[in-house]
Amino acid sequence: MKLCARTYRGAAAVMLAGSLLLTAGCGGGQDDRAGYSKGKQRADDGAGPAPAPVAPDGGGGAPAQGVEGGTETERKGDAFRESRPPADYLSTFALDVDTASYGYARRTLEDGKLPEAGDIRPEEFINGFRQDYPRPEGNGFSVTVDGARPSGSEGEGEGGGEEWSLVRVGLSTRPSGREGERPPAALTFVIDISGSMSEPGRLDLVKESLGILTDQLRDDDSIALVTFSDEAETRLPMTRVDDNRDRIHTVIDSLEPADSTNVEAGVRTGYDEAVEGRRRGATNRVVLLSDALANTGETDADAILDRIEDARSEFGITLFGVGVGSEYGDALMERLADKGDGHTTYVSNSEQARKVFVDQLPTHVELRARDAKAQVAFDRETVKQFRLVGYENRAVEDEDFRNDRVDGGEVGPGHTVTALYAVRLREGASGHVATATVRWLDPRTRAPHEQTGSVETDAVDGALWDGASKRLQVTAVAAYFAESLRGGSMPGAPGLGELAERAGKLARSTEDSAVRQLAEAIEQAQRLKG
């Protein structure tokens, strides 16, 4: 793997800490979940190699010293916008740190049911696990590209002599330093107290999590609390934590379930409160805690978010969704978070909540990158077909990769983002396979930056199960599991029985409890599928 750098110019909160204050698919042809040879996923025969997304000399200007042994440039104007390879061999998506789909699928399986295919988003399974990517020294990302060949992938589809490989694109941000170095936080919590939240594991878990959070935040942080059922009510205006912890606890403890679920009223009132109480120099966020089973007022995500579009775009206050409950409106919550320029997670127990609020939240208030996007350029001399696993809802038009008015994802410190591709190499192919570029805006200056990594055929030709890194194997297991649950397929996919065995071996070798939970989920899905 070759790396170069070019910069132009983790239950009410397993992620509530890792993601609380933070906020991918080919540019087309993402609908065909099971097929690998339709639309933009088919490589164009006969053309030359696709160049890397950023031409080394494309922007002019003197390069400055870079990281990872490459070069870095920063300027207010972005001269690289016009440097673009042909679209046919490009895959472009907004970065995504959501994990709600995986969390809710596990909860559904634990309840003895198979999740609905439409609730499965493979990227949220893939991103639910720890990775081993190197960390960059400053803000922004490191880029790692590797891969392996799954057994039984030869000759699938047309052209029997060609083989499929799995190519992993891994992005990582630098962890936070000392907790006191982060900016203060101004958090508006929008809390669902409708009747459906009375079920165990819903409002009770939300209250426990908020109580933990109150004790963990710094004195210079601020909290506002808005509740909603059939109507919305501000229970606590934006208040410095400082000497008000007892007051905040009293409001949290008084929350009781009421009537209907008017998500629109809650989000609208929450944003009003967030705008009114916003603080310069602070991280301003709206956090929606709900089962998202909207049944009163506007129930469509676009209609709800249209009401707060001006405040969101003007003040940059993003929406983070935390889902709870065995019956959960996953589709609505995900669309709300996407429209609100944020992300989602799903939580189901107090152990997850404590891990997030106690262990992670204090160091995850700041951002490392805004509007982050990735673009992977495949080499048509070596690649015949490719397909991105998941990220259908995060697809970005190839020509908008450097259009900074098009939303990307927000990523905080210590986070990793993984994209997995099924790539069909040409028979006898040797050399360059792909170059991955990540683009983001500096959280403070809004200056654009880019960094790249590339991979050769010899780095993706090893056997997946007999020598590839353990973390790459976990990524593959998660992707195979997600595709099985939604009725799709991937080259070299094992049956659920074999997949459970591989996950169990990985859990033992990595000593990772999250991988053990993955193995248990696969075993349960196998039993339910008979």
Side-chain angles (χ1 to χ4, degrees), residues 410-472:
E410 292 191 350
V411 183
H415 276 76
T416 61
V417 179
T418 300
L420 190 68
Y421 288 86
V423 178
R424 190 181 187 188
L425 299 178
R426 297 183 185 278
E427 187 171 4
S430 178
H432 177 254
V433 174
T435 296
T437 301
V438 58
R439 179 184 178 88
W440 71 95
L441 303 183
D442 183 275
R444 293 178 295 278
T445 68
R446 301 281 178 161
H449 298 259
E450 292 183 3
Q451 190 155 336
T452 67
S454 61
V455 68
E456 306 286 313
T457 52
D458 58 358
V460 301
D461 195 44
L464 174 62
W465 307 118
D466 298 325
S469 79
K470 300 299 184 185
R471 291 296 163 182
L472 174 56

Side-chain angles (χ1 to χ4, degrees), residues 163-476:
E163 298 180 349
W164 288 91
S165 292
L166 298 182
V167 174
R168 178 179 64 161
V169 176
L171 311 173
S172 179
T173 60
R174 176 175 59 88
S176 286
R178 291 176 300 178
E179 191 269 338
E181 296 176 352
R182 70 164 173 83
L187 308 176
T188 301
F189 289 90
V190 180
I191 306 161
D192 185 347
I193 59 168
S194 63
S196 62
M197 290 290 287
S198 62
E199 174 191 302
R202 298 193 186 192
L203 186 57
D204 57 340
L205 184 58
V206 168
K207 291 168 65 173
E208 178 182 354
S209 300
L210 289 177
I212 295 171
L213 172 65
T214 300
D215 292 333
Q216 291 300 310
L217 289 177
R218 294 189 327 213
D219 287 348
D220 61 344
D221 295 327
S222 301
I223 286 181
L225 298 173
V226 173
T227 60
F228 68 93
S229 54
D230 53 341
E231 296 180 346
E233 177 185 0
T234 298
R235 306 289 285 268
L236 181 75
M238 192 65 72
T239 302
R240 290 285 182 106
V241 173
D242 200 10
D243 296 326
N244 293 298
R245 294 183 199 272
D246 289 344
R247 179 186 174 195
I248 297 169
H249 276 297
T250 298
V251 175
I252 293 170
D253 292 343
S254 69
L255 301 180
E256 296 292 340
D259 301 313
S260 304
T261 308
N262 191 338
V263 176
E264 183 269 337
V267 172
R268 176 169 42 80
T269 304
Y271 265 83
D272 290 345
E273 194 63 44
V275 170
E276 180 68 23
R278 72 190 184 280
R279 295 172 54 188
R280 287 187 177 274
T283 300
N284 295 274
R285 292 287 183 272
V286 171
V287 183
L288 173 63
L289 302 105
S290 173
D291 58 16
L293 299 176
N295 54 26
T296 300
E298 295 282 6
T299 60
D300 176 74
D302 292 328
I304 294 172
L305 267 297
D306 282 346
R307 290 180 175 265
I308 52 87
E309 178 71 26
D310 291 341
R312 179 178 66 86
S313 59
E314 183 176 354
F315 302 108
I317 301 171
T318 57
L319 177 66
F320 174 51
V322 181
V324 296
S326 58
E327 297 296 328
Y328 166 54
D330 174 72
L332 175 60
M333 184 71 89
E334 198 240 353
R335 292 192 64 214
L336 282 170
D338 283 351
K339 283 283 287 182
D341 205 15
H343 57 282
T344 65
T345 190
Y346 176 85
V347 296
S348 60
N349 59 55
S350 57
E351 180 183 353
Q352 292 177 338
R354 181 165 294 277
K355 178 181 179 182
V356 168
F357 287 121
V358 175
D359 299 339
Q360 299 172 354
L361 178 59
T363 59
H364 284 81
V365 172
E366 58 186 316
L367 286 178
R368 288 282 183 255
R370 288 187 181 274
D371 286 328
K373 309 184 193 85
Q375 186 170 85
V376 182
F378 290 92
D379 192 323
R380 56 172 51 89
E381 285 192 346
T382 56
V383 174
K384 183 169 185 176
Q385 294 170 254
F386 66 91
R387 181 185 171 88
L388 176 58
V389 180
Y391 287 96
E392 288 89 356
N393 295 344
R394 305 294 285 174
V396 173
E397 294 295 330
D398 295 333
E399 58 268 25
D400 287 333
F401 177 58
R402 295 188 176 88
N403 181 354
D404 297 326
R405 293 173 295 180
V406 175
D407 286 340
E410 292 191 350
V411 183
H415 276 76
T416 61
V417 179
T418 300
L420 190 68
Y421 288 86
V423 178
R424 190 181 187 188
L425 299 178
R426 297 183 185 278
E427 187 171 4
S430 178
H432 177 254
V433 174
T435 296
T437 301
V438 58
R439 179 184 178 88
W440 71 95
L441 303 183
D442 183 275
R444 293 178 295 278
T445 68
R446 301 281 178 161
H449 298 259
E450 292 183 3
Q451 190 155 336
T452 67
S454 61
V455 68
E456 306 286 313
T457 52
D458 58 358
V460 301
D461 195 44
L464 174 62
W465 307 118
D466 298 325
S469 79
K470 300 299 184 185
R471 291 296 163 182
L472 174 56
Q473 292 180 39
V474 171
T475 298

